[in-house]
Amino acid sequence: MPGIRVLNVKKSYGDIHAADGIDLEIRDGEYMCILGPTGAGKTTFLRALCGLTPLDKGKIFFGDKEVTKEEPEDRGAVMLSQTYSLFPHLTVQDNILFGPDIRGMSDPDKEKTLSSMLDLVRLTSRSDAYPRELSGGMQQRTALARALASGCDVLLLDEPLRALDARLRISLRYELKDLAKSLGLTTVHVTHDQDEAMVMADRIAVIKEGRILQVGTPAEVFDSPVSPFVANFVGQSNFFKGTIESSEGHTVLRTESGSLLEAKATDIDIGCEAVLAVKVGNTEISKDGVGFLQGTVERILFEGRYLHVDLLVDGNGRISAKVPSWRMGKIAVGDRKQIRWNPEKARVFPIPEWGLERELKVE
Ligand code: ATP
C-alpha cells in the first residue's frame, strides 16, 4: 500500500486560502486524522488527495508515483464524502457489491466480503433494504461498507461517523480503525471531533485556515501543543497572560495581578509578554490551601467520575478545573479556593501577533 506525500499544496477560492501551502507525509498503512474546526480546509485537502479538486500549486505522490494530475479513478483512492451518495435503486447488498462486481471478484470472495462488511456495519438484517428505507445513520454505514469493499489502497474519510448516534459512533471508532489496519489501508480521516481523533489516529495533523499547525501522535499533540490554538482545540485549556519572571528549572510567569504561575521551562526571554496554557483536566483545586491563584467557585457540574468546576479567578476571569467526584460536598458554589497544577503540564507561548482572542477563535 502506498504512503502519501503532499508538497506545498495550495488552493484558494477568491480570498479564501482553503489550502495554504500544505506539506504532509502520511506513512504507508498509517491511520492519519486531519483535525480542525469548521472551514479549516479539511474537505478541500481530502478532495485534493482524491483528485476531485484541482490544485493551484503543489504536488501529491502516492508511493513513488506522482498523482497530482491523475483522474480520481486512477489513484487507487476512495473517498467517503459527508454527503454519501448511495445508488438509490440498489439494495444495501448491491451497493456494497458495486466495487467488487466491477473488479470481477469471484463469487465466493464476494460473499466473504459482503458478509464481513455487513457484519462490520451491523446491517446484516437489512441487506435487502433500499437506501430510502434506511435511517441516515444506516445509509452512512452502507456508504462506509461500500467504500471499504471497493478494493482501494487509500481510504479517504470525511467525517465518516458524524451522522451516527453516540453509542454506535464510539463502537464504530475502534472497528473502523481495526478494519482499515487489517486491510493494510493508508487512511486519511477528517474530523472536527478531538476525542475521535485522539482514540483513532496513529498521528493527528491539526489544521486551521488551510495550514497544518502540528503533526504528531495523539499524546504529542495533547501534551506538547505548539501553539495556544492547538492547546485549546485538542483538550480545552485555561489561559493566563503575563510576563516571564524567571526560567530556572520551571518558567515563572507573573500575571498582571501579581500571581506567580509555574510552567515547563521555555526559552522565551525574561521580561517578555507570554501566555501560559494549562489543560482544564490538569487544573486542580488545591486540597491543602496552597496554590498559584485564588478563585471563587461559580458552578459545579457532575460528569460522573469528575466534577467540572468553573471559577472566577481574581484578576484573570473565568477558568475551569476538574476534580474527582469523591470531593463532591467538599466544594460549594461561593467557596474561595486555591488553584494549582503540575508545572510540567503547563506550557508558555509567546503572545501571537494577532492576539490571543483571534488565535483561539474556531469559526
Ligand atoms: P467543515 O468542517 O465545515 O466541513 P472544512 O474544514 O472541511 O469545513 P472546507 O470545506 O475545506 O473546510 O472549506 C475551507 C474554506 O474554503 C471554507 O472557507 C469554504 O467556505 C471554502 N470553500 C471550500 N470549497 C469552496 C468552493 N467550492 N467555493 C468557494 N469556497 C469554497
Side-chain angles (χ1 to χ4, degrees):
M1 302 293 162
I4 300 172
R5 246 178 335 132
V6 176
L7 302 176
N8 195 26
V9 160
K10 294 193 178 187
K11 178 73 188 178
S12 296
Y13 298 102
D15 291 343
I16 297 170
H17 302 300
D20 195 10
I22 293 184
D23 289 306
L24 186 63
E25 208 155 326
I26 301 165
R27 297 170 191 144
D28 181 5
E30 185 168 33
Y31 200 106
M32 170 72 84
C33 282
I34 310 293
L35 175 68
T38 181
K42 304 184 295 296
T43 300
T44 302
F45 178 64
L46 215 57
R47 288 176 60 86
L49 290 181
C50 197
L52 292 169
T53 293
L55 310 183
D56 295 343
K57 203 171 169 214
K59 290 183 178 177
I60 298 174
F61 292 84
F62 282 9
D64 293 332
K65 185 174 164 208
E66 183 175 352
V67 297
T68 316
K69 298 231 155 48
E70 296 237 341
E71 293 299 322
E73 57 274 19
D74 298 329
R75 296 189 182 203
V78 65
M79 175 163 164
L80 178 61
S81 69
Q82 276 180 35
T83 52
Y84 39 91
S85 42
L86 295 170
F87 300 116
H89 59 290
L90 296 183
T91 60
V92 168
Q93 161 167 333
D94 292 339
N95 263 287
I96 295 173
L97 287 178
F98 185 77
D101 272 337
I102 286 190
R103 294 197 335 269
M105 191 185 268
S106 70
D107 283 347
D109 280 351
K110 275 202 307 198
E111 216 162 281
K112 235 165 75 190
T113 302
L114 178 65
S115 107
S116 70
M117 291 301 147
L118 286 170
D119 194 34
L120 170 77
V121 297
R122 317 252 215 301
L123 281 174
T124 306
S125 63
R126 304 304 306 273
S127 66
D128 292 328
Y130 288 90
R132 64 176 179 279
E133 298 167 340
L134 302 172
S135 69
M138 288 172 176
Q139 291 180 31
Q140 175 104 353
R141 285 184 272 153
T142 307
L144 177 59
R146 189 181 61 177
L148 288 169
S150 70
C152 58
D153 294 332
V154 172
L155 181 62
L156 306 172
L157 302 169
D158 195 357
E159 303 268 9
L161 307 177
R162 191 176 207 162
L164 307 177
D165 70 66
R167 196 173 285 268
L168 191 58
R169 189 163 66 232
I170 286 169
S171 71
L172 266 183
R173 281 176 181 171
Y174 305 108
E175 292 176 28
L176 176 55
K177 179 170 182 185
D178 284 352
L179 196 86
K181 285 279 174 187
S182 68
L183 295 173
L185 302 176
T186 302
T187 307
V188 186
H189 173 143
V190 153
T191 181
H192 67 282
D193 180 338
Q194 56 119 351
D195 290 335
E196 191 170 297
M198 292 290 277
V199 298
M200 293 187 76
D202 292 329
R203 286 189 305 154
I204 295 174
V206 182
I207 185 171
K208 189 189 178 202
E209 294 170 357
R211 293 195 199 142
I212 303 277
L213 304 180
Q214 185 168 4
V215 184
T217 62
E220 283 165 354
V221 173
F222 188 85
D223 288 329
S224 308
V226 296
S227 67
F229 176 81
V230 177
N232 203 38
F233 195 70
V234 185
Q236 194 196 347
S237 289
N238 295 308
F239 293 94
F240 305 90
K241 282 201 239 177
T243 314
I244 303 289
E245 173 93 359
S246 65
S247 266
E248 283 152 29
H250 293 136
T251 287
V252 177
L253 181 109
R254 178 183 287 276
T255 66
E256 269 174 26
S257 57
S259 301
L260 296 175
L261 313 181
E262 290 182 30
K264 195 176 167 82
T266 160
D267 52 10
I268 304 175
D269 290 339
I270 291 169
C272 284
E273 276 198 282
V275 58
L276 181 149
V278 58
K279 291 261 154 51
V280 167
N282 290 326
T283 306
E284 302 161 17
I285 293 179
S286 172
K287 288 197 284 287
D288 55 11
V290 180
F292 297 128
L293 294 154
Q294 196 169 46
T296 306
V297 175
E298 283 204 321
R299 188 165 68 155
I300 303 169
L301 301 172
F302 179 69
E303 288 182 345
R305 288 183 59 207
Y306 291 94
L307 302 175
H308 176 105
V309 182
D310 290 330
L311 302 109
L312 190 58
V313 171
D314 307 347
N316 191 82
R318 280 186 182 77
I319 68 150
S320 302
K322 300 271 182 198
V323 296
S325 35
W326 60 260
R327 288 179 70 189
M328 185 128 86
K330 296 189 163 61
I331 298 173
V333 171
D335 282 358
R336 297 280 292 161
K337 293 287 183 190
Q338 287 285 330
I339 298 148
R340 62 195 285 171
W341 50 80
N342 174 351
E344 285 297 306
K345 300 281 184 188
R347 300 253 152 187
V348 173
F349 302 101
I351 305 262
E353 60 191 78
W354 41 85
L356 188 59
E357 203 170 307
R358 155 126 208 260
E359 164 79 7
L360 299 180
K361 208 165 165 218
V362 288
E363 278 181 64

